[in-house]
Amino acid sequence: MATGYSLTQCTRKVKKLTGKTPYAFLKDYRLRKALRSLHDSKDRIGNIAKDHGFKNSTHFTRSFREAFGILPSKYAQLSG
């Protein structure tokens, strides 16, 4: 790796700094960006999901509800 660390060492360092695995950290980051997009944009949920790196809107909806306790469609409706 360009950092001089192995994948295992990088994973350990990220987890120590953030309390999350690299995957969980990035997923949380993408969900928070999507949350802002839902609040600021009138774009379709499927487009927002795709723009933020989710493979499909079903995966995005499930992840969003697990993270925030509300469906993205309901959040968009309440914030719009």
Side-chain angles (χ1 to χ4, degrees), residues 45-70:
I45 291 171
N47 293 339
I48 289 173
K50 186 183 276 188
D51 290 347
H52 291 86
F54 290 88
K55 55 186 162 195
N56 59 49
S57 58
T58 303
H59 179 234
F60 172 68
T61 298
R62 188 177 339 108
S63 298
F64 192 95
R65 188 173 63 194
E66 286 173 7
F68 303 116
I70 188 171

Side-chain angles (χ1 to χ4, degrees), residues 34-40 45 64 68 70-80:
L35 180 83
R36 274 188 240 124
S37 291
L38 282 169
H39 186 267
D40 298 339
I45 291 171
F64 192 95
F68 303 116
I70 188 171
L71 291 171
S73 56
K74 188 71 171 172
Y75 179 81
Q77 189 179 47
L78 293 172
S79 64

Side-chain angles (χ1 to χ4, degrees), residues 23-49:
Y23 174 78
F25 178 78
L26 290 173
K27 185 177 177 183
D28 183 59
Y29 175 79
R30 292 181 309 159
L31 283 167
R32 291 186 185 284
K33 295 276 285 182
L35 180 83
R36 274 188 240 124
S37 291
L38 282 169
H39 186 267
D40 298 339
S41 162
K42 299 295 181 210
D43 204 358
R44 296 181 55 189
I45 291 171
N47 293 339
I48 289 173

